[in-house]
Amino acid sequence: MRNQALILLCIVVFGVIGTCHGGSLRKKYYKKTCPNAEEIIKKATEKHVANDPTLPARFLRMHFHDCFVRGCDGSVLLNSTTNNSAEKDAIPNLTLAGFDVIDDIKAEVEKKCPNVVSCADVLALAARDAVSFKFQRPLWEVLTGRRDGRVSRVSEALANLPSPFSNFTTLVRNFANQGLNVHDLVVLSGGHTIGVGHCNAFSNRLYNFTGRGDQDPSLNPTYAAFLKTQCRNLTDNTTFVPMDPGSGFTFDNNYYVTVKQNKGLFQSDAALLTNKGSRNIVNELVDPKKFLTEFAQSMKRMGAIGVLTGNDGEIRKKCFVVN
Ligand code: HEM
Ligand SMILES: *[C@@H]1O[C@H](CO)[C@@H](O)[C@H](O)[C@H]1NC(C)=O
Ligand SMILES: *[C@@H]1O[C@H](CO)[C@@H](O)[C@H](O)[C@H]1NC(C)=O
Ligand SMILES: *[C@@H]1O[C@H](CO)[C@@H](O)[C@H](O)[C@H]1NC(C)=O
Ligand SMILES: *[C@@H]1O[C@H](CO)[C@@H](O)[C@H](O)[C@H]1NC(C)=O
Ligand SMILES: *[C@@H]1O[C@H](CO)[C@@H](O)[C@H](O)[C@H]1NC(C)=O
Ligand SMILES: *[C@@H]1O[C@H](CO)[C@@H](O)[C@H](O)[C@H]1NC(C)=O
Ligand SMILES: *[C@@H]1O[C@H](CO)[C@@H](O)[C@H](O)[C@H]1NC(C)=O
């Protein structure tokens, strides 16, 4: 109720919803300063994605992690230094790979327009363009004008990123901390329609759910049996499986079909069925058109979390190090 009142106020005061959702981000922010920026990023992204079908999932997750820690400020891209352990070291070498590709895409932009386009915008655009590659049309709009942060801390990543072992209450709180609601939580979890999960993020559900060598009763038993053939023990941290089996490279509504069959890979996926309101949203998003429309809107909200604009932050020359 209060949220709705706030949105209404926002619309009345600012006249445009965009102002409320995106802060001072705008469409085609670089139109004058680097007219081809978005085209250069798209071309470079597509070149890489054509050779590596795992990149869309990697970039999408990277953008999400960027936004949930200090806002979408490119801080996820920074390397650790002798004095500082950066965000990217929070989840020891899991799949936040692809950093080198972002650095490469940024280098392409720098050739044409040095010191103009932020790494945070490069990442937001590359994530969109990578996921959209197969569709030959942009799946969501990306407003631009983000600037880059100078701080990246492993502790903040650990504190702010949702865990695959979280229950519904914890996930809702985690998203609320970012200004996102239950609807955004369910919609954005649909990002798990592409990509993979490593065994150690879910094998407790297979082998030791409550500490008595048991299995998670909310996990489809047939699927659990299959997962056990992939993840042979609790300590396996190298094997991975698609999160949306059979459709792991296709950005579609099938994640919700999977979740409804109790085949959501993580406890955090299964958690979406444990609340009535959330379950209703899962049911709605099984509709493919609805999913794509809603995903586009929630991505816009996620892409605006805590952005630095105006004179805040900097335009990094290289994404892995502050200027
Ligand atoms: C709701 C809370 C979320 C949790 C607990 C969560 C957790 C995880 C975990 C544990 C993995 C597997 C990493 C690995 O083992 O390699 C993963 C992968 C992934 N997540 Fe999430 N995630 C969440 C939300 C999101 C959101 C909001 C997005 C984007 C919109 C997203 C996109 C992805 C993608 C694309 C992958 C696959 C990465 C790859 O294949 O390289 N996730 N997530
Ligand atoms: C930055 O860190 C990545 C690993 O996250 C590494 O591959 C790369 O070599 C580092 N770059 C520099 C310039 O240190
Ligand atoms: C790291 O910290 C030490 C001691 O505080 C300082 O002398 C040094 O310049 C710092 N190095 C970097 C790369 O910031
Ligand atoms: C994980 O990181 C450690 C050191 O940080 C490295 O030695 C190891 O090879 C990495 N493992 C994988 C699977 O990338
Ligand atoms: C959810 O998880 C949190 C943190 O682990 C815990 O404190 C809480 O009791 C759990 N809620 C439910 C309903 O299980
Ligand atoms: C299962 O969990 C319990 C309680 O945490 C622990 O004592 C036990 O060692 C675990 N079993 C295995 C096989 O890891
Ligand atoms: C667990 O499984 C992995 C991968 O199959 C294997 O390399 C490792 O030796 C196993 N560890 C134990 C304790 O059985
Ligand atoms: C995987 O587990 C082994 C043994 O526990 C550990 O040495 C290694 O660092 C872990 N690797 C990753 C990627 O977490």
Side-chain angles (χ1 to χ4, degrees):
M1 209 34 222
R2 222 168 79 207
N3 227 337
Q4 279 170 359
L6 211 76
I7 291 170
L8 200 69
L9 183 80
C10 205
I11 294 171
V12 172
V13 174
F14 295 97
V16 212
I17 300 183
T19 323
C20 301
H21 286 162
S24 37
L25 300 180
R26 314 204 280 269
K27 276 189 204 181
K28 306 207 187 311
Y29 178 83
Y30 301 107
K31 193 169 61 191
K32 294 224 174 76
T33 52
C34 185
N36 294 326
E38 296 199 14
E39 199 51 37
I40 296 168
I41 292 166
K42 181 163 175 283
K43 283 250 168 61
T45 302
E46 293 187 339
K47 188 187 74 188
H48 286 285
V49 171
N51 291 319
D52 181 356
T54 70
L55 284 180
R58 291 174 190 280
F59 287 179
L60 182 59
R61 182 166 188 236
M62 209 185 283
H63 178 43
F64 154 57
H65 280 202
D66 188 26
C67 294
F68 267 55
V69 187
R70 287 191 170 254
C72 319
D73 67 343
S75 55
V76 72
L77 303 169
L78 287 170
N79 271 11
S80 293
T81 61
T82 43
N83 290 341
N84 180 59
S85 206
E87 286 168 34
K88 63 165 76 155
D89 286 346
I91 307 175
N93 44 31
L94 276 185
T95 56
L96 276 178
F99 291 113
D100 51 332
V101 186
I102 294 293
D103 291 341
D104 187 82
I105 296 168
K106 165 72 168 169
E108 292 288 316
V109 183
E110 288 298 287
K111 275 191 221 159
K112 284 275 162 17
C113 320
N115 310 321
V116 172
V117 182
S118 70
C119 292
D121 277 345
V122 168
L123 177 54
L125 289 162
R128 189 270 310 273
D129 293 339
V131 173
S132 306
F133 176 57
K134 280 210 219 161
F135 292 79
Q136 291 299 305
R137 71 182 164 83
L139 287 190
W140 62 89
E141 181 174 70
V142 174
L143 303 180
T144 41
R146 295 171 190 79
R147 289 171 62 89
D148 296 323
R150 296 189 182 93
V151 176
S152 178
R153 297 209 195 294
V154 69
S155 56
E156 292 180 356
L158 294 172
N160 289 293
L161 291 173
S163 149
F165 308 107
S166 292
N167 59 31
F168 182 74
T169 322
T170 305
L171 291 170
V172 170
R173 185 171 316 132
N174 193 291
F175 274 61
N177 286 343
Q178 306 291 346
L180 300 177
N181 61 26
V182 175
H183 197 258
D184 296 310
L185 164 65
V186 182
V187 170
L188 291 173
S189 292
H192 289 177
T193 179
I194 51 172
V196 300
H198 284 73
C199 294
N200 51 332
F202 60 86
S203 54
N204 66 314
R205 306 183 74 195
L206 307 175
Y207 294 114
N208 207 4
F209 190 58
T210 66
R212 279 173 290 156
D214 53 340
Q215 196 167 297
D216 182 348
S218 76
L219 180 62
N220 180 309
T222 313
Y223 190 47
F226 164 74
L227 290 174
K228 281 177 161 173
T229 69
Q230 306 296 299
C231 306
R232 306 309 295 261
N233 60 54
L234 272 169
T235 49
D236 179 356
N237 57 7
T238 51
T239 309
F240 52 85
V241 301
M243 293 187 288
D244 187 8
S247 166
F249 286 109
T250 317
F251 197 85
D252 60 13
N253 61 317
N254 202 55
Y255 168 78
Y256 299 99
V257 177
T258 301
V259 166
K260 281 186 67 166
Q261 294 170 339
N262 299 315
K263 294 178 183 172
L265 191 59
F266 307 131
Q267 280 162 264
S268 57
D269 298 313
L272 303 181
L273 295 178
T274 62
N275 170 272
K276 186 155 181 286
S278 162
R279 202 158 55 233
N280 287 340
I281 302 170
V282 169
N283 285 327
E284 280 174 30
L285 294 171
V286 168
D287 175 349
K289 262 175 79 181
K290 179 107 184 167
F291 167 57
L292 288 180
T293 310
E294 298 293 329
F295 193 79
Q297 288 175 10
S298 286
M299 280 304 285
K300 224 167 154 182
R301 278 193 282 278
M302 188 182 92
I305 295 172
V307 291
L308 301 173
T309 56
N311 292 318
D312 293 342
E314 63 183 18
I315 302 295
R316 241 177 262 152
K317 292 187 207 311
K318 292 178 174 164
C319 294
F320 56 85
V321 62
V322 298
N323 291 345

